[in-house]
Amino acid sequence: MVIKKLNSLFHKHSRVLFGAFTLLIIVAFTDFLTPGRSGGCGGGENTVVGTAFGDKVTYGDLAGFGRSVSVAFLLSGREISLPGNAELFQYYCLIKRAGQLGLDATDAEIAAVIAANPAFRKDGKFDAVAYDQFLKARRLNDREVADALKLRIVEEKLMQMLAANDSVSDAEAEAFYRINNGTYTLKICQFDAGKFSTPAPTEEQIANFYQEHRDRYVAPGSFEAALVSIPYDRFAADAAKEVTAEEVKQAAASGGFVGPDGKPLGAEAVKKQLVQARRSVLANRFAGKVFRDLYKQLGQTEKPEDQLRLFRNWAEKNRLSVAESGKIAFGGDAVGKYHLRRICEELQTMPRQGLQLTRPESDGDAIHIAMLKNRTESRQLTLEEAKAAVVKDRAAEMRLKAARAFAANESSRLAKMDAKAAAAAFDTLKGTFTDAVFPASETEKDPKKTALVYSVAQVLPPLSTGGISAAVDNADGAAIVKVVKRSPADMAKFKDQKPFLKSQLSMLKSQRNYQRFMEDLSRQCRFLAADARAE
């Protein structure tokens, strides 16, 4: 279906969506795509892992999706570093939402991306033989490639859609330039929440606050694991023997090996880089071989204690040391001396039934794999257990509300006065006064003052000298600001900077659109993590 379109499309598409292939490393990493492990999923096919837009998502759904993500990594020419379950679920929801918005990838679009991939081109043309060899070497079919590329194309279309409303007018660019290039001498009156008091809460108020903020009051979980690492340096000597003088000569002559100064590297430096690359290839090849053996052994039992015993025996057989992690709190990313964020996330979320083994993770110096030993799940604290914290948190929130309400009332009072009376009344406000300049000086050493200055920046554009703002909420309460002096921006430089400013503002708008999209996604999708349940 897709392949038939390639020969007629390759000459129309020169855009390369994927980076250059590092084929040897990809071949080695293909061994990691063991059935049932792609995408970091474990547990039964029908175990519910979360809900997306009202629909249940099972481990089977996530595993199939993870397989497509795995293939997409292979096609991108990057070493495989798949996301953990939570991130994979988020990506699943993103693609599902894109589909709801009518975004899809046609066969022609998929074929065009394949044809543009440099790994499948020869003499400037698409090479169907190279493409077919790639599929056979990795035990893939045309449909799996199409499904993987569909993810990338749909994601790209979604990003383009979110960026569709990021156009910036000349007036917006000018306003942005004026506020960031003019100078404001300010007097800020801050109303700190800490200076306000609130009455003692009733038992009912305490209970209501606890119910409204239950997610704050959780006893964090922890886990313990056994970790095996395969260091790349273990294969350094063999890598040095494999790299021939002819390889070094050809690599140096290719012009692709240059130093920081842009000049070609000498033969020794080129050889060092080739040995480094070959070292990782050998390590990954070895890892693929021994991991297949491990998966085969673990497939014979579902008992966690038997899996751990087999894991230790496997490590000893292959002369690999086992490191004990000790107790790691949920959210931690370090196992001993290694920072392994994805492995830790997987150990924290995998179901306690089924395979207790993580997927491999490479940190650039070694390949790691871990077996879950024990885990204590996070637990909702009862009201009695959390009562002291609840009372403290509620008091802090009530003081913050009181400070902001007081600032809003004072602002309304000043707004009813004429300019002269308001200026005099401002100086008598019952708050803490700070003299400042916006933009803040680069020599300013008080981070709290700098944060206060930038928190009021949003209300400065319409204010002239002597102007007083409305109340502005901030993390510590609220503030009212008076512009003592406004020095206008030098507009002579605006014309030259306008293209850059519009580009920057467009980027900010795109980021804001994406943030809003992801916030909406988080409200409609829920990942159950370790609480996953079988249907």
Side-chain angles (χ1 to χ4, degrees), residues 24-62:
L24 286 174
I25 292 177
I26 292 299
V27 169
F29 265 102
T30 305
D31 289 321
F32 288 177
L33 294 179
T34 303
R37 295 301 302 169
S38 300
C41 301
E45 288 276 320
N46 297 321
T47 300
V48 176
V49 71
T51 57
F53 308 102
D55 297 329
K56 293 176 182 177
V57 181
T58 66
Y59 272 110
D61 296 328
L62 209 57

Side-chain angles (χ1 to χ4, degrees), residues 212-398:
E212 292 169 4
H213 304 88
R214 285 174 60 88
D215 57 331
R216 295 186 189 180
Y217 308 109
V218 176
S222 64
F223 60 87
E224 295 179 69
L227 177 76
V228 164
S229 301
I230 302 175
Y232 289 176
D233 282 342
R234 174 173 173 172
F235 303 89
D238 290 337
K241 293 177 184 177
E242 282 196 11
V243 176
T244 65
E246 183 61 26
E247 282 183 84
V248 174
K249 181 179 178 181
Q250 291 181 4
S254 71
F257 293 81
V258 296
D261 57 0
K263 296 181 180 179
L265 294 177
E268 282 302 313
V270 171
K271 181 177 180 180
K272 184 177 180 180
Q273 290 195 19
L274 290 177
V275 169
Q276 288 285 98
R278 188 66 56 83
R279 181 192 63 151
S280 66
V281 169
L282 294 178
N284 286 302
R285 189 173 293 159
F286 172 79
K289 179 181 177 181
V290 297
F291 288 163
R292 280 198 304 270
D293 180 52
L294 175 60
Y295 289 131
K296 184 177 179 181
Q297 292 184 43
L298 295 178
Q300 300 173 11
T301 179
E302 289 194 359
K303 293 182 178 180
E305 60 272 20
D306 290 343
Q307 290 187 35
L308 185 58
R309 174 179 53 79
L310 289 171
F311 181 73
R312 295 188 188 280
N313 292 342
W314 164 83
E316 182 179 359
K317 173 186 173 183
N318 291 285
R319 295 185 293 113
L320 299 168
S321 60
V322 179
E324 309 298 333
S325 72
K327 189 172 290 186
I328 301 175
F330 280 11
D333 67 352
V335 183
K337 64 179 180 179
Y338 300 108
H339 286 275
L340 304 171
R341 181 193 55 78
R342 195 205 24 89
I343 276 183
C344 286
E345 190 271 334
E346 198 170 341
L347 290 167
Q348 178 181 322
T349 60
M350 66 169 55
R352 286 300 277 152
Q353 67 274 7
L355 189 61
Q356 300 296 287
L357 187 71
T358 69
R359 289 173 295 121
E361 180 175 358
S362 172
D363 62 0
D365 295 314
I367 303 163
H368 311 275
I369 196 166
M371 172 72 71
L372 181 62
K373 292 168 57 180
N374 298 300
R375 186 171 68 214
T376 301
E377 305 296 352
S378 299
R379 180 178 62 82
Q380 178 70 52
L381 294 174
T382 66
L383 175 56
E384 287 306 310
E385 291 174 312
K387 190 170 184 178
V390 173
V391 171
K392 182 180 178 181
D393 291 347
R394 183 185 181 280
E397 187 168 307
M398 296 306 294

Side-chain angles (χ1 to χ4, degrees), residues 1-3 114 131 135 140-147:
M1 172 180 58
V2 174
I3 194 68
I114 296 173
Y131 175 72
L135 297 185
L140 298 173
N141 58 49
D142 189 38
R143 184 69 264 166
E144 288 175 310
V145 171
D147 288 344

Side-chain angles (χ1 to χ4, degrees), residues 78-90:
R78 290 173 289 169
E79 291 190 3
I80 293 178
S81 180
L82 293 177
N85 285 342
E87 291 169 321
L88 190 64
F89 177 78
Q90 184 182 58

